[in-house]
Amino acid sequence: MEGLWLVVLVIFVMALSVQSQLKTGFYSTSCSKAEAIVRSTVESYFKKDPTIAAGLLRLHFHDCFVQGCDGSVLIAGSSAERNALPNLGLRGFEVIDDAKSQIEALCPGVVSCADILALAARDAVDLSDGPSWSVPTGRRDGRVSLSSQASNLPSPLDTVAAQKQKFSDKGLDDHDLVTLVGAHTIGQTHCQFIRYRLYNFTTTGNSDPTINQSFLSQLQALCPKNGDGTKPVPLDKDSQTDFDTSFFKNVRDGNGVLESDQRLWDDAATRDVVKKYAGTIRGLLGLRFDIEFRQAMVKMSSIEVKTGTDGEIRKVCSKFN
């Protein structure tokens, strides 16, 4: 019995260890203005272009899924992570670089690019009328960034099984998957990534039968068969710049824009979570999503973090020291 308790205790301590390596207010004495600088920088870009919020959130997500949340996606270079196919549409790099240069002028060599990115993602959600949360900090920047390692990033073509596997590999469960995909409430994609669903789904020459018919005609008008592939398409047709639960109602009603989003309705486990967030009691359900999104973001932003003496604190976010 004693041995069993020891095993339970060891597992509990291991689970706590990543969380405890990071802590809220990590820079409160070493660079007390760091979080305020990130906030004011994100705010100034957001005022000019509210769609930058989704860009910053996606940048943090893509960073955490490759090499952990270590700023590896910020490195520039032909073989670097940000040049991998799934990362070609990423944006918001200039916001992180701007915040970093301001912080470096005040507290050189103290605040990591990985932490700036985690804070910027939180501020982006908050500015979009979403929840805010305390971001545990203390991440260090990685010294590896390879485009070849980005193949495990979730893709809009993924089945639910593939999505579940990719999230599970990072310690995230099915509930986390649906909650985090809810970030698409403020995202956008481009015609080239959804056109196959509109005109030639599974090479049949027909459209994807799961798309609501009236929405299909809206999408076809937005993305004509031989039109501009780079034309942006909101992932939430009702409120693209508001962080709310309408994304889940869209998935429920066959109005999901990406195939991977709509597929969440096909699987019993993920459908239950979508249903929960898409429920009719607006205030209560919106509140629940807000609370659970905060929790899922703290969990995701702790993936494989480097702390202590691992990694480095970059002077410039786009290059190793």
Side-chain angles (χ1 to χ4, degrees):
M1 192 68 183
E2 203 172 276
L4 178 64
W5 275 112
L6 191 63
V7 170
V8 170
L9 187 66
V10 167
I11 290 170
F12 179 67
V13 169
M14 281 166 66
L16 279 181
S17 66
V18 166
Q19 298 294 65
S20 63
Q21 287 164 2
L22 301 179
K23 65 174 195 176
T24 309
F26 183 82
Y27 300 110
S28 56
T29 52
S30 57
C31 191
S32 60
K33 292 196 169 73
E35 294 203 19
I37 291 171
V38 174
R39 170 73 186 205
S40 64
T41 308
V42 174
E43 212 163 317
S44 67
Y45 284 86
F46 180 84
K47 278 179 182 154
K48 289 181 283 213
D49 174 16
T51 68
I52 196 67
L56 290 166
L57 188 51
R58 186 163 176 246
L59 199 53
H60 179 43
F61 183 87
H62 280 232
D63 181 37
C64 291
F65 261 71
V66 185
Q67 289 275 342
C69 313
D70 68 346
S72 53
V73 76
L74 303 170
I75 293 292
S78 56
S79 63
E81 208 175 292
R82 72 155 97 169
N83 282 318
L85 198 60
N87 287 333
L88 294 183
L90 290 180
R91 51 198 285 258
F93 296 100
E94 71 287 0
V95 184
I96 307 303
D97 290 341
D98 189 344
K100 175 65 171 173
S101 60
Q102 294 177 58
I103 290 171
E104 279 299 298
L106 203 63
C107 328
V110 173
V111 182
S112 70
C113 299
D115 276 344
I116 292 171
L117 185 48
L119 292 164
R122 182 267 314 270
D123 294 334
V125 172
D126 184 35
L127 287 163
S128 306
D129 294 329
S132 185
W133 59 93
S134 297
V135 175
T137 41
R139 295 165 194 77
R140 286 168 67 86
D141 297 321
R143 292 195 179 103
V144 175
S145 180
L146 295 168
S147 58
S148 57
Q149 294 183 339
S151 56
N152 65 339
L153 277 163
S155 150
L157 306 176
D158 282 344
T159 61
V160 176
Q163 293 181 70
K164 285 177 163 187
Q165 187 59 55
K166 287 176 178 180
F167 276 72
S168 168
D169 289 346
K170 299 295 172 192
L172 300 166
D173 59 29
D174 297 352
H175 194 283
D176 297 322
L177 159 65
V178 180
T179 306
L180 290 166
V181 169
H184 287 169
T185 177
I186 56 170
Q188 57 182 29
T189 184
H190 297 95
C191 288
Q192 65 202 25
F193 298 116
I194 62 163
R195 199 177 270 142
Y196 74 97
R197 291 190 76 203
L198 311 181
Y199 302 104
N200 194 21
F201 187 63
T202 58
T203 62
T204 53
N206 301 318
S207 57
D208 182 342
T210 62
I211 305 176
N212 180 313
Q213 280 305 300
S214 63
F215 188 47
L216 175 63
S217 45
Q218 283 176 46
L219 287 175
Q220 287 174 331
L222 192 62
C223 300
K225 205 168 195 171
N226 301 309
D228 177 6
T230 62
K231 195 172 177 187
V233 183
L235 292 176
D236 178 347
K237 71 181 181 63
D238 301 312
S239 53
Q240 189 197 346
T241 54
D242 282 343
F243 200 93
D244 56 23
T245 54
S246 66
F247 167 81
F248 298 106
K249 295 179 174 70
N250 290 336
V251 170
R252 177 195 65 195
D253 300 337
N255 298 328
V257 175
L258 296 178
E259 184 185 349
S260 56
D261 289 351
Q262 192 55 54
R263 294 291 163 261
L264 296 174
W265 192 250
D266 299 343
D267 174 271
T270 53
R271 185 194 305 126
D272 280 348
V273 189
V274 172
K275 267 187 187 164
K276 182 175 80 167
Y277 292 143
T280 46
I281 320 162
R282 194 171 163 213
L284 180 68
L285 275 293
L287 183 68
R288 181 189 277 177
F289 173 54
D290 278 3
I291 290 168
E292 293 179 359
F293 187 78
R294 283 177 203 151
Q295 293 164 344
M297 282 298 289
V298 170
K299 191 171 170 183
M300 185 201 79
S301 70
S302 307
I303 294 172
E304 296 161 27
V305 291
K306 294 162 183 68
T307 58
T309 54
D310 277 357
E312 62 184 19
I313 304 293
R314 274 180 227 145
K315 295 182 179 72
V316 177
C317 288
S318 58
K319 55 185 188 197
F320 303 120
N321 289 347

